[in-house]
C-alpha cells in the first residue's frame, strides 16, 4: 500500500517544531507518529508537506494512494476504518479530514482543504490528534502505553541485574545492548521502556510512564517523573517531569525541566531551569505563530517549547510558557522573553540576529560529533527558515 502522511492546515500551529519536519515526524510516546503508522499499516511511506521540506521528505505518488493526516495517532479501531476506504472515499471526524484514497491522476493538493469531491464517511471513534505543541507532552503518557504494548508484544526483555531496584517488573522492557546499573525503576504508574544500546547510569530514579530511546542516556543521579520520553542519542540529567525530547539533544546537568518539548540538536547548559507553573496558578498562555500573540492553552502546567538547534548557557532561567524558535542562542542573567524568535542571539539584556553562516558553522560541528553530516539539503531548509522568520527579529 502506498501511504502518504499529509500536513493539514493546522501545521503552523505546531511551529517552531514544524519549521524543520512534517507533523508526522513529531515524536510522542516512544516513536514518531510516522513510525506508529508504519507498524499498523505496512507499505511504502512518503509525505505531503511544505515545499521547502519536500526535498528531504518527498511525495511519492502511485496509481492508488492512501493519504493519512500526519497529526493523527493511530489505533487499531481507526486503522480498520481507514483501510476499509475505497477510491474516492474520505474519513472525517466532524470537519476534520483524517484520511482519503485517491488515484494519481485525480490528486491535487487542494483536496486536503476541499473535500467536496469525496464520498465522506464519518467516524464515531475518539481520536487523538496533535494540533498544538502542548499536546505533545499532554498526550505522551497515553502514547507511551500504546507504543509499549505493540513494541513489546510477544517479546522477551533483557534481564536487569541485581544492582537495580524495580517496582512493576512486568511493565519494564529493556532492549538488547542497554546498560542499567544501580537504578530505581518504578513502573507502577506506567511502563518503562529502555531502548537499544541506551544507558541508565548509577543513582538514576525513574517513574513511568518513561521511554529512553535507542542510544540515549540518563546521567548519574537523574530524577525523572513520567510521562517522559528521551529521544534517540539524547542525554539527560537533573530533574525532569513530563518532558518529550525528540532526539540528539542534551540536558545533561542539574536543573529542572518540566512540561516541555525539545526538538533535535538542542543543548541546555548546566543548572538551566524552567518554570512550569505561574505564581498565581493561572492558565498558561503560549505564543502562537498563526495568531501572532499569546493564546490560552487550557493548562495550569506548561513549561518550555524549543525548536531544533536552539541552545542556552549555564544558569539560564525560562519563565512559564516560553516558546523558543529554531537556532536561538540564549545567555545572560534574568529571564528571556516568553517568545524567543528563531535565529536570535542574546537574552534578557537584549538580542540580535544570529547570522546564518555562523549558525550553520556551529550546526556542522555539533552534528559531526554524532557522525552526521550537515548536507546541502539540511542547509537549504535552515536557510529558508532563517528567511521566513526574519520578521520576528526586530531587535
Amino acid at each position: 500500500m502506498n501511504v502518504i502522511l499529509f500536513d493539514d492546515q493546522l501545521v503552523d500551529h505546531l511551529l517552531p517544531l514544524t519549521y524543520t519536519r512534517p507533523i508526522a515526524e513529531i515524536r510522542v510516546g516512544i516513536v514518531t507518529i510516522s513510525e506508529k503508522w508504519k507498524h499498523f499499516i505496512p507499505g511504502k511511506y512518503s509525505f505531503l508537506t511544505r515545499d521547502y521540506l519536500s526535498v528531504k521528505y518527498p511525495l511519492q505518488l502511485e496509481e492508488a494512494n492512501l493519504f493519512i493526516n500526519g497529526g493523527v495517532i493511530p489505533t487499531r479501531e481507526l486503522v480498520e476504518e481507514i483501510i476499509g476506504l475505497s477510491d474516492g472515499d474520505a474519513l472525517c471526524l466532524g470537519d476534520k479530514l483524517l484520511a482519503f484514497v485517491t488515484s494519481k491522476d485525480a490528486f491535487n493538493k487542494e483536496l486536503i482543504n476541499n473535500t467536496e469531491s469525496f464520498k465522506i464517511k464519518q467516524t464515531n471513534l475518539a481520536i487523538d490528534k496533535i494540533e498544538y505543541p502542548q499536546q505533545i507532552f499532554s498526550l505522551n503518557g497515553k502514547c507511551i502505553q500504546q507504543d509499549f504494548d505493540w513494541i513489546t508484544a510477544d517479546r522477551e526483555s533483557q534481564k536487569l541485574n541485581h544492582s537495580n531496584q524495580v517496582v512493576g517488573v512486568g511493565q519494564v522492557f529493556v532492549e538488547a545492548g542497554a546498560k542499567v546499573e544501580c537504578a530505581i525503576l518504578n513502573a507502577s504508574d506506567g511502563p518503562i521502556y529502555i531502548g537499544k544500546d541506551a544507558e541508565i547510569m548509577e543513582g538514576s530514579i525513574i517513574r513511568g510512564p518513561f521511554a529512553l530511546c535507542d542510544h540515549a542516556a540518563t546521567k548519574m543521579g537523574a530524577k525523572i517523573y513520567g510521562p517522559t520520553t528521551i529521544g534517540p542519542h539524547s542525554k539527560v540529567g537533573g530533574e525532569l517531569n513530563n518532558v518529550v525530547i525528540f532526539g540528539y539533544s542534551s540536558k545533561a546537568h542539574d536543573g529542572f525541566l518540566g512540561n516541555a518539548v525539545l526538538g533535535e540538536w538542542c543543548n541546555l547548559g548546566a543548572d538551566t531551569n524552567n518554570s512550569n507553573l505561574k505564581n498565581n496558578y493561572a492558565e498558561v498562555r503560549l505564543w502562537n505563530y498563526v495568531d501572532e500573540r499569546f493564546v490560552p492553552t487550557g493548562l495550569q502546567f506548561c513549561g518550555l517549547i524549543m525548536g531544533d538547534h536552539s541552545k542556552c548557557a549555564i544558569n539560564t532561567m525560562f519563565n512559564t510558557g516560553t516558546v523558543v524558535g529554531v537556532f536561538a542562542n540564549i545567555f545572560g542573567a534574568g529571564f528571556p522573553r516568553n517568545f524567543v524568535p528563531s535565529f536570535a542571539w542574546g537574552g534578557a539584556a537584549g538580542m540580535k540576529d544570529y547570522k546564518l553562516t555562523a549558525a550553520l558553522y556551529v550546526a556542522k560541528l555539533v552534528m559531526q560529533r554524532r557522525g552526521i553530516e550537515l548536507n546541502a539539503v539540511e542547509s537549504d531548509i535552515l536557510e529558508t527558515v532563517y528567511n521566513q522568520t526574519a520578521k520576528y527579529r526586530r531587535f
Side-chain angles (χ1 to χ4, degrees):
M1 185 171 292
N2 192 54
V3 182
I4 297 163
L5 300 172
F6 67 87
D7 290 348
D8 63 14
Q9 64 272 23
L10 296 175
V11 62
D12 285 348
H13 288 284
L14 282 160
L15 295 173
L17 302 170
T18 49
Y19 272 133
T20 48
R21 60 178 55 78
I23 298 174
E25 289 296 270
I26 286 173
R27 185 175 303 276
V28 56
I30 299 174
V31 298
T32 63
I33 298 173
S34 65
E35 289 171 320
K36 301 179 201 300
W37 282 108
K38 289 174 184 177
H39 164 73
F40 283 102
I41 304 179
K44 298 178 182 178
Y45 275 76
S46 63
F47 300 87
L48 177 59
T49 186
R50 303 171 187 272
D51 289 342
Y52 72 88
L53 292 174
S54 61
V55 176
K56 183 177 180 180
Y57 301 100
L59 169 65
Q60 297 175 344
L61 289 168
E62 294 191 358
E63 290 306 315
N65 306 281
L66 170 60
F67 285 79
I68 300 175
N69 191 308
V72 174
I73 308 298
T75 63
R76 296 190 185 281
E77 295 79 11
L78 178 60
V79 166
E80 289 180 5
E81 293 193 12
I82 287 177
I83 62 177
L85 296 175
S86 301
D87 186 27
D89 289 346
L91 183 67
C92 295
L93 177 64
D95 59 355
K96 293 182 180 181
L97 178 62
L98 305 180
F100 63 91
V101 177
T102 190
S103 67
K104 183 177 182 179
D105 292 339
F107 170 74
N108 67 77
K109 291 184 178 181
E110 291 305 312
L111 292 175
I112 294 170
N113 301 314
N114 184 358
T115 59
E116 292 181 357
S117 61
F118 290 114
K119 179 182 178 182
I120 302 296
K121 296 185 175 183
Q122 289 286 346
T123 182
N124 294 319
L125 297 173
I127 304 296
D128 289 322
K129 185 173 181 289
I130 300 296
E131 298 178 344
Y132 298 93
Q134 64 270 22
Q135 292 176 307
I136 297 170
F137 63 76
S138 297
L139 289 171
N140 198 47
K142 183 177 183 180
C143 288
I144 287 176
Q145 183 68 68
Q146 290 172 342
D147 292 347
F148 184 89
D149 289 343
W150 65 260
I151 289 173
T152 65
D154 301 319
R155 298 178 61 216
E156 186 173 345
S157 169
Q158 176 180 295
K159 294 188 182 302
L160 294 169
N161 65 43
H162 295 298
S163 71
N164 299 288
Q165 184 174 344
V166 180
V167 179
V169 176
Q171 283 285 89
V172 177
F173 192 93
V174 184
E175 296 282 7
K179 299 177 183 178
V180 187
E181 301 285 349
C182 304
I184 299 175
L185 308 177
N186 185 347
S188 58
D189 290 334
I192 293 175
Y193 175 83
I194 304 168
K196 180 181 177 182
D197 297 324
E199 182 175 12
I200 295 180
M201 296 185 186
E202 307 91 291
S204 294
I205 305 172
I206 298 169
R207 279 177 171 254
F210 175 73
L212 185 69
C213 298
D214 297 353
H215 307 283
T218 69
K219 305 299 285 289
M220 291 192 296
K223 298 178 292 184
I224 302 176
Y225 301 84
T228 289
T229 295
I230 310 303
H233 299 273
S234 296
K235 296 179 181 180
V236 297
E239 183 179 1
L240 297 91
N241 184 356
N242 195 195
V243 172
V244 178
I245 297 177
F246 287 179
Y248 293 95
S249 290
S250 181
K251 181 226 172 294
H253 306 288
D254 283 346
F256 174 73
L257 185 65
N259 302 100
V261 181
L262 304 185
E264 294 183 335
W265 307 108
C266 298
N267 188 76
L268 305 187
D271 203 33
T272 291
N273 291 277
N274 83 272
S275 168
N276 63 343
L277 174 67
K278 296 173 71 70
N279 286 349
N280 61 2
Y281 288 62
E283 178 182 4
V284 180
R285 294 172 178 264
L286 275 183
W287 175 263
N288 183 282
Y289 284 82
V290 176
D291 295 335
E292 295 195 333
R293 62 183 179 90
F294 293 91
V295 300
T297 62
L299 300 176
Q300 192 175 58
F301 288 89
C302 185
L304 173 68
I305 308 296
M306 179 177 278
D308 290 4
H309 290 280
S310 285
K311 299 169 177 61
C312 66
I314 61 171
N315 300 119
T316 300
M317 301 183 297
F318 290 108
N319 235 320
T320 317
T322 295
V323 175
V324 176
V326 174
F327 257 116
N329 196 311
I330 302 165
F331 54 89
F335 289 93
R337 295 164 51 192
N338 283 44
F339 169 54
V340 178
S342 298
F343 293 91
W345 177 281
M351 291 188 169
K352 63 179 182 180
D353 191 279
Y354 189 4
K355 298 301 182 185
L356 179 64
T357 52
L360 293 180
Y361 176 75
V362 172
K364 180 179 179 180
L365 296 178
V366 169
M367 295 172 73
Q368 278 180 347
R369 293 179 66 240
R370 303 294 182 91
I372 297 177
E373 177 190 5
L374 178 67
N375 56 34
V377 172
E378 293 285 351
S379 296
D380 288 346
I381 289 172
L382 296 172
E383 182 176 1
T384 301
V385 176
Y386 177 81
N387 292 329
Q388 283 188 357
T389 59
K391 64 179 181 178
Y392 299 112
R393 296 189 297 275
R394 297 168 181 166
F395 306 128

